[in-house]
Amino acid sequence: MTRHLAALALTLGAMLAHAEPPELNLYSARHYRSDEALYADFTRRTGIRINRIEGREQELLERIVNEGENSPADVFITVDAARLAQAEAYGVFAPLDSAHLVERIPAHLRSGAWAAFSVRARVIVYNRRALTAADVPRYESLADPKLKGKVCSRSGAHPYNLTLVAALIAHNGEAATEAWARGVVANFARPPRGGDLDQIKAVATGECAVAVSNSYYLARLMAAERVEERNLVKRLGIVWPNQDGYGTHINVSGGGVLKHSKHPAAARAFLDYLASDDAQRYFANANNEWPAVPGVSVDNPDLDAMGRFRADTLPLGSIASHLVAAQKLLDRAGYR
Ligand code: FE
């Protein structure tokens, strides 16, 4: 009898799985031409078609929240742990219910709701005429009074900086991190503005001597078509920060299955696929990032040219608990 029931449950399960249309709706804040190949490969392997809605990170999240139960979104992919944490806090994700992802993605690169699929590092870039690597070995060095008038930064409120500051709070505590933020503000060459690429250019042209940037912007410049852009990189030194301590702060692109997904099986299959070796290579390489799955290598000479580093293994899911404190102390410090 029990066996009969179990068999019936299996049959019903298979029928239900079959009743689901073979498609899924992906809301993605990533848009790279090579991602097309990735989605096509998934469809070829599984028969599941992917309808893509692309948009800016904040826009997509607001859309998912506003659509609520009626949201057609099955999977949400975005960049930066701060944004993933925000989406998780809004309760838009279903639990990360995949033994495959738990096995493939290191614990510090996922939460209970989302998983990372690629990794970027927040590096220090300096002008080689103005400084040496020994001047700026750590994030903490950016507050050193000897760098007065030499530091460029994007807004402290940007997720890339918020997540970094949340990580600094986790390592050094709130009081020390606030003192650090005040020190960095005192060192500004100009008020924060622009994105990471603008900071790199400002360092290369000598407007300032040092800044932080996500690693892929540097790889992108190294491979730029315009020789002027490639020449910018030659004026720069790159530091993997905090190699003598907790390691270089890393961040992620990642995503999860949405709570109101109408195609949860297809959505889970897609996330599992993203953790496969082939998909990892595509996904990471599309934006000059590293795969989140250990042992998967990417053939990217520009990334390789930046060398190897030891990454901070602080769980990105737990950094979320420091994001509000990070924002508040940056406000108090005038790091806007
Ligand atoms: Fe970026």
Side-chain angles (χ1 to χ4, degrees), residues 284-304:
N285 213 23
N287 186 32
N288 296 297
E289 292 179 86
W290 295 280
V293 175
V296 177
S297 62
V298 163
D299 181 22
N300 184 322
D302 300 305
L303 267 189
D304 293 346

Side-chain angles (χ1 to χ4, degrees), residues 88-219:
E88 186 172 356
Y90 281 159
V92 303
F93 287 127
L96 189 76
D97 182 19
S98 163
H100 182 69
L101 290 182
V102 166
E103 187 202 313
R104 298 276 289 170
I105 311 289
H108 67 283
L109 299 180
R110 52 182 158 81
S111 78
W114 54 262
F117 295 104
S118 62
V119 172
R120 66 277 295 278
R122 202 124 178 91
V123 301
I124 292 176
V125 290
Y126 63 92
N127 185 306
R128 290 199 282 121
R129 278 199 202 152
L131 298 174
T132 69
D135 291 316
V136 283
R138 292 175 280 276
Y139 300 111
E140 289 82 351
S141 316
L142 298 172
D144 188 330
K146 80 179 175 195
L147 295 181
K148 193 163 182 61
K150 292 186 170 24
V151 178
C152 273
S153 179
R154 78 187 303 163
S155 166
H158 190 274
Y160 297 170
N161 280 342
L162 270 185
T163 311
L164 169 62
V165 172
L168 291 176
I169 292 174
H171 287 300
N172 302 333
E174 234 178 285
T177 304
E178 182 162 347
W180 169 85
R182 288 180 193 279
V184 176
V185 169
N187 286 342
F188 281 160
R190 50 140 172 84
R193 63 162 178 265
D196 281 9
L197 206 49
D198 298 302
Q199 315 315 316
I200 297 174
K201 288 179 177 171
V203 170
T205 57
E207 186 183 357
C208 38
V210 63
V212 296
S213 167
N214 280 356
S215 45
Y216 53 86
Y217 292 106
L218 286 157

Side-chain angles (χ1 to χ4, degrees), residues 13 22 28 35 63 76 79 95 106 116 133 154 159 168 195 235 257 271 282 287 291 295 303 319 333-334:
S28 176
D35 281 357
R63 187 164 162 179
F76 178 44
V79 295
R154 78 187 303 163
L168 291 176
R235 300 184 204 156
V257 173
L271 290 192
Y282 265 123
N287 186 32
L303 267 189
I319 288 181

